[in-house]
């Protein structure tokens, strides 16, 4: 009976091992991602020339507890700064238009930085380590399951031999019922281990698919940012053309007197 208790306890321990296995520290991974995002932002503030200082201030002011800047908040802070100080660039004489241009560029820079934090070298390394840890844990679970299967087979075989021997002596021996219950419990425990093993594989596949979909989402964000930038460039070129045409008409008009004659 002591041997039966030890085997049953070992099988129960095997069940708890996969449940307590950790793939990694989630908060640490997220902190590493946010650090990559912030580094990309700082290294690419030249895209917001000549408002790098104001942009850095906006990013800092909109950064929350996760060390991630809120795109809406950062764009709003930068836009307000442009409007209050009446900052304008060449041919962008309207500070309101200029604020929207830089606000949109701020949003696109943050989106690109987010993609860099996920698809950059460090981000890919984190994903690789996570996937490797998942596969290693699945292999460990398979090893636990195979070992439990072998132990269960040995235990059931020995228990059945003991039942046969006790039955030959006396069919009313209470140990027979105890052994049969132990066999049933051992088989049930083994089935639970197999179910948990299969569930672990399903969960791992789901997590891997989620990681892959997250990569695709980053590419979608980059495409949207590129489309927004193209539209903004088109609008800016149109405004420049309109300003140039207005300047040409003004010059032509200034060279014509009230009677329509050139001086």
């Amino acid at each position: 009976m002591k041997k039966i208790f030890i085997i049953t306890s070992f099988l129960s321990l095997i069940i708890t091992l996969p449940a307590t296995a950790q793939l990694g520290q989630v908060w640490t991974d997220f902190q590493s991602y946010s650090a990559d995002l912030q580094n990309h932002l700082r290294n690419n503030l030249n895209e917001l020339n000549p408002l790098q200082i104001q942009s850095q201030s906006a990013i800092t002011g909109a950064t929350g507890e996760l060390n991630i800047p809120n795109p809406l908040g950062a764009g709003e802070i930068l836009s307000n700064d442009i409007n209050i100080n009446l900052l304008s660039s060449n041919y962008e004489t309207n500070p309101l238009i200029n604020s929207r241009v830089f606000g949109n560029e701020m949003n696109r820079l943050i989106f690109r930085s987010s993609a860099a934090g996920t698809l950059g070298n460090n981000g890919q390394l984190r994903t690789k380590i996570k996937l490797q840890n998942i596969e290693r844990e699945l292999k460990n679970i398979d090893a636990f399951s195979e070992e439990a299967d072998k132990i269960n087979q040995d235990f059931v075989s020995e228990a059945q031999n003991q039942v046969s021997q006790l039955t030959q002596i006396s069919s009313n021996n209470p140990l027979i019922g105890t052994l049969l219950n132990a066999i049933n419990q051992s088989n049930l425990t083994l089935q639970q281990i197999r179910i948990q093993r299969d569930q672990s594989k399903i969960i791992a596949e789901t997590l891997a698919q989620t990681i892959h979909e997250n990569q695709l989402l980053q590419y979608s964000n980059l495409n949207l940012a590129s489309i927004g930038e193209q539209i903004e460039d088109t609008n800016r070129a149109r405004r420049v053309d309109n300003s140039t045409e207005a300047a040409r008409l003004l010059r032509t008009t200034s060279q014509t007197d009230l009677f329509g004659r050139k001086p």
Side-chain angles (χ1 to χ4, degrees):
M1 292 302 299
K2 183 177 180 180
K3 186 174 184 180
I4 295 175
F5 174 78
I6 294 175
I7 294 176
T8 304
S9 300
F10 180 75
L11 291 174
S12 300
L13 177 61
I14 292 177
I15 291 179
T16 60
L17 285 177
T20 58
Q22 299 296 325
L23 292 177
Q25 297 178 345
V26 180
W27 176 235
T28 301
D29 288 343
F30 193 87
Q31 285 178 308
S32 180
Y33 157 76
S34 63
D36 291 340
L37 186 153
Q38 289 284 357
N39 288 335
H40 186 272
L41 281 175
R42 285 192 294 269
N43 294 334
N44 291 274
L45 281 178
N46 59 319
E47 296 182 12
L48 297 172
N49 182 55
L51 301 178
Q52 293 97 325
I53 298 178
Q54 293 88 339
S55 300
Q56 180 61 67
S57 178
I59 291 173
T60 302
T63 298
E65 293 296 328
L66 295 179
N67 195 32
I68 293 178
N70 175 12
L72 299 178
E76 183 178 358
I77 293 174
L78 183 59
S79 297
N80 291 337
D81 189 11
I82 293 175
N83 285 327
I84 293 174
N85 295 285
L86 299 178
L87 299 175
S88 61
S89 60
N90 295 336
Y91 294 103
E92 299 288 0
T93 57
N94 189 339
L96 177 60
I97 295 178
N98 200 30
S99 66
R100 290 180 178 177
V101 170
F102 277 96
N104 292 335
E105 186 59 35
M106 169 71 75
N107 292 340
R108 288 192 288 267
L109 177 58
I110 293 176
F111 291 151
R112 288 193 292 268
S113 298
S114 176
T118 302
L119 303 176
N121 292 335
N122 293 336
Q124 292 190 32
L125 178 59
R126 288 191 298 271
T127 301
K128 175 184 176 181
I129 293 175
K130 190 175 294 293
L131 292 174
Q132 288 177 334
N133 287 340
I134 292 173
E135 185 169 348
R136 182 170 59 251
E137 292 299 330
L138 290 177
K139 290 180 180 179
N140 291 337
I141 291 173
D142 281 336
F144 287 139
S145 179
E146 292 175 1
E147 188 173 0
D149 193 3
K150 182 178 182 304
I151 293 175
N152 182 71
Q153 290 178 1
D154 295 340
F155 166 70
V156 170
S157 177
E158 183 177 348
Q160 288 176 343
N161 291 334
Q162 293 182 9
V163 169
S164 298
Q165 294 175 4
L166 292 174
T167 302
Q168 294 176 358
I169 298 174
S170 175
S171 59
N172 296 326
N173 194 319
L175 290 178
I176 295 177
T178 302
L179 287 172
L180 292 176
N181 289 335
I183 292 174
N184 293 333
Q185 182 63 36
S186 179
N187 289 330
L188 179 60
T189 301
L190 183 61
Q191 290 299 324
Q192 292 175 342
I193 292 175
R194 291 172 177 171
I195 292 174
Q196 288 191 345
R197 177 196 60 190
D198 295 338
Q199 288 177 338
S200 298
K201 291 181 179 181
I202 293 173
I203 294 173
E205 288 290 343
T206 302
L207 177 58
Q209 185 65 27
T210 301
I211 292 175
H212 178 64
E213 291 176 354
N214 186 41
Q215 315 303 315
L216 297 179
L217 179 61
Q218 296 300 324
Y219 286 118
S220 298
N221 289 338
L222 285 174
N223 288 334
L224 291 175
S226 298
I227 292 173
E229 188 170 4
Q230 291 173 3
I231 293 175
E232 192 66 50
D233 289 341
T234 300
N235 292 335
R236 184 182 292 108
R238 184 182 298 113
R239 289 193 296 271
V240 171
D241 290 340
N242 292 339
S243 299
T244 303
E245 181 64 17
R248 187 186 67 81
L249 291 175
L250 180 62
R251 179 175 178 274
T252 301
T253 303
S254 66
Q255 294 177 351
T256 304
D257 63 7
L258 296 177
F259 297 98
R261 294 176 301 180
K262 293 184 178 180

